[in-house]
Amino acid sequence: MTLSLYDTGTRSLREFTPLREGKASVYLCGATPQAQPHIGHVRSGVAFDILRRWLLAQGYDVAFVRNVTDIDDKILTKAAENNRPWWEWVSTYEREFTWAYNQLGVLPPSVEPRATGHVTQMVEYMQRLIDAGFAYAAEGSVYFDVAAWVAAEGSDYGALSGNRVEEMEQGETENCGKRGPRDFALWKAAKPGEPAWPTPWGAGRPGWHLECSAMATYYLGGEFDIHCGGLDLQFPHHENEAAQSHAAGDGFARYWLHNHWVTMAGEKMSKSLGNVLSVPHILTLVRPVELRYYLGSAHYRSVLEYSEEALHEAAAGYRRIEDFLRRLGEVEAGTRPETFDAAMNEDLSVPRALAEIHTAVRAGNSALAAGEEERAREIGGQVRAMTSVLGIDPYDWAEGQTGAGAELHEALDILVQAELERRAQARAEKNWAVADEVRDRLAAAGVEVTDTPEGPQWSLRARN
């Protein structure tokens, strides 16, 4: 079985063949930290963390670059509106994004470059484009010459997004010396009061598209395997990245992967729509691993329509996996079933992979009910192997729980165990009224008790 990925650039499912045998290079467009992250932001992080984990499971040495856009019109506007230095504003929310990624078990990137730290690479990139005849300086800014690139042999401008060149709008309102309305800024001339860096063409700050080409090629080379990001970045950001990179002579990304949106009432989740659900708020409703399960449960190319009901249904689905493994006690990860691998190899079909996990959990529970403990433990090992690939192995999350959360869980366990001992004594004395009273009080507190051959086990249920 080989991995196939849906390449946006060719609109087709393509077998993944890495540029260098045994190695996989991945660039993910990361955060522009201007405000608190919502679940629409972190879906991309979870989706492509699953890609990375699957590549690792296949034995690849993975170089994973996730950038931070730490200078941007929106960042400057937000900082000014709140009378804060731009660098303090962006640093504050960069920490918020890092916290959110960590909460959801997203592996740290191999490197997390910031745009402002790579101006040297951007200057070199612009010089290459000017020398090739595909960029020009005007009034302190530098622009990419779209018309020149479209007319060049080998140009594929518009292929990634499927847009017709004559219908494109870059969304840039400034026209300082532009030769054509579709030209886009590689470098923006300095404005009074804004941060600026020196270049041969004048002081200013990076254009959005340039920074990613400069950082991706600096860390991964002129050609690399996979470029990832949200569907909303397909145009103009990724289209322009590809254009300027190809015009500079770089092969750039060999595969393009885009995750779809999280929506509410059919609309893309965004601050402008006022339907933002922040990660800290959602984590008051479910645990971090349950939110990760929810965000990863739909195929990454499918719309994920948010509702609190769907969130709690996903959390309940995860707890069924967790409860089965808890009943087994200690069990080592085993071998993944071929059906699971086949699902993951078909463009990371997580819904099918989760179906395999739940089928195994049902079989494992049936084996326990029949007293077939050895068979149940074998299945438990398979479940651990599968959930590990998706980053939701309950054992890993239990071991990784630290800080206040761990202390609270330990304190709760002491209290619940005392209640369970009282219940066990009442049942031994056939005092069913007291036993039922304990059970009902725990249930009212969101604690569910399951009687197993090894004794009562408890779990905390998310409460609607």
Side-chain angles (χ1 to χ4, degrees):
M1 293 182 290
T2 57
L3 173 61
S4 293
L5 298 170
Y6 185 84
D7 176 22
T8 308
T10 62
R11 309 294 193 278
S12 66
L13 201 63
R14 295 176 55 206
E15 182 177 324
F16 176 64
T17 305
L19 189 63
R20 289 172 287 276
E21 186 176 356
K23 297 181 182 295
S25 46
V26 184
Y27 184 88
L28 171 61
C29 280
T32 301
Q34 50 154 321
Q36 197 173 57
H38 59 65
I39 59 174
H41 291 132
V42 295
R43 185 189 184 188
S44 179
V46 170
F48 297 118
D49 184 63
I50 292 172
L51 166 66
R52 182 184 185 185
R53 288 172 182 268
W54 184 238
L55 290 170
L56 290 169
Q58 300 301 293
Y60 287 104
D61 179 6
V62 182
F64 193 95
V65 180
R66 185 184 70 211
N67 79 296
V68 176
T69 297
D70 62 343
I71 188 71
D72 171 88
D73 290 344
K74 294 178 182 178
I75 290 171
L76 297 177
T77 299
K78 288 283 189 181
E81 289 174 351
N82 290 273
N83 196 30
R84 305 306 305 167
W86 70 272
W87 46 265
E88 179 196 54
W89 189 264
V90 74
S91 296
T92 297
Y93 288 107
E94 184 181 345
R95 288 191 295 273
E96 293 263 6
F97 271 85
T98 299
W99 176 86
Y101 289 136
N102 290 341
Q103 286 290 303
L104 298 185
V106 174
L107 298 172
S110 306
V111 64
E112 193 167 24
R114 292 158 183 79
T116 57
H118 295 79
V119 172
T120 298
Q121 288 78 19
M122 296 179 205
V123 169
E124 292 174 351
Y125 222 96
M126 286 187 283
Q127 188 63 63
R128 289 169 61 191
L129 287 167
I130 290 173
D131 292 345
F134 298 118
Y136 58 92
E139 302 180 24
S141 295
V142 180
Y143 295 101
F144 183 80
D145 192 331
V146 170
W149 175 237
V150 169
E153 183 179 355
S155 172
D156 57 354
Y157 195 58
L160 181 62
S161 63
N163 290 328
R164 295 166 58 89
V165 176
E166 59 271 22
E167 296 173 355
M168 290 182 180
E169 293 184 8
Q170 300 291 353
E172 297 181 357
T173 57
E174 298 171 9
N175 295 304
C176 305
K178 277 189 181 184
R179 293 176 183 172
R182 293 174 186 84
D183 295 352
F184 57 86
L186 302 171
W187 190 257
K188 297 184 176 184
K191 294 180 181 179
E194 288 189 354
W197 290 260
T199 76
W201 310 282
R205 56 186 174 88
W208 181 29
H209 317 305
L210 175 68
E211 65 184 58
C212 282
S213 288
M215 289 186 285
T217 55
Y218 180 73
Y219 289 101
L220 300 176
E223 186 175 13
F224 57 93
D225 292 317
I226 303 171
H227 195 311
C228 305
L231 185 64
D232 53 329
L233 300 180
Q234 191 173 342
F235 182 83
H237 187 46
H238 290 167
E239 187 74 76
N240 290 345
E241 275 189 66
Q244 66 198 6
S245 301
H246 295 164
D250 290 334
F252 208 56
R254 302 173 73 241
Y255 300 80
W256 289 88
L257 273 63
H258 291 92
N259 68 280
H260 219 308
W261 303 323
V262 177
T263 61
M264 288 181 64
E267 294 187 280
K268 176 179 176 289
M269 189 171 294
S270 67
K271 295 177 180 62
S272 62
L273 293 176
N275 58 8
V276 175
L277 290 175
S278 71
V279 174
H281 170 68
I282 297 298
L283 292 182
T284 66
L285 305 177
V286 294
R287 294 177 296 165
V289 64
E290 293 167 348
L291 177 54
R292 180 188 173 98
Y293 179 99
Y294 170 67
L295 292 174
S297 60
H299 193 280
Y300 75 94
R301 289 195 290 116
S302 300
V303 173
L304 181 61
E305 174 71 13
Y306 174 81
S307 72
E308 193 168 316
E309 180 183 5
L311 176 68
H312 284 298
E313 286 177 358
Y318 173 77
R319 290 193 299 269
R320 285 192 288 272
I321 301 169
E322 186 179 46
D323 290 347
F324 165 60
L325 290 177
R326 181 182 287 117
R327 292 176 68 192
L328 291 176
E330 289 295 325
V331 60
E332 295 295 323
T335 303
R336 297 186 307 270
E338 290 185 3
T339 48
F340 177 89
D341 286 8
M344 293 299 293
N345 276 328
E346 190 175 333
D347 194 33
L348 308 175
S349 184
V350 173
R352 283 175 48 201
L354 285 174
E356 293 297 331
I357 292 173
H358 284 286
T359 296
V361 166
R362 288 191 293 272
N365 283 327
S366 295
L368 282 175
E372 300 170 356
E373 185 171 343
E374 184 175 345
R375 172 59 179 156
R377 295 184 69 80
E378 178 187 354
I379 293 172
Q382 293 175 351
V383 170
R384 283 207 65 189
M386 292 186 284
T387 53
S388 178
V389 165
L390 302 182
I392 55 171
D393 180 358
Y395 285 81
D396 291 343
W397 282 86
E399 293 170 3
Q401 191 177 29
T402 58
E407 293 170 1
L408 288 171
H409 189 276
E410 184 177 349
L412 180 61
D413 183 59
I414 292 171
L415 295 173
V416 172
Q417 291 297 342
E419 287 292 279
L420 292 178
E421 289 174 10
R422 181 166 175 252
R423 175 174 175 262
Q425 182 176 349
R427 295 178 74 179
E429 296 171 354
K430 300 189 185 313
N431 190 341
W432 308 119
V434 171
D436 290 345
E437 176 192 338
V438 172
R439 180 200 60 202
D440 293 344
R441 183 162 56 248
L442 290 173
V447 175
E448 180 168 310
V449 177
T450 303
D451 292 307
T452 76
E454 293 77 30
Q457 304 287 331
W458 70 271
S459 59
L460 191 61
R461 297 304 195 191
R463 303 176 69 185
N464 297 329

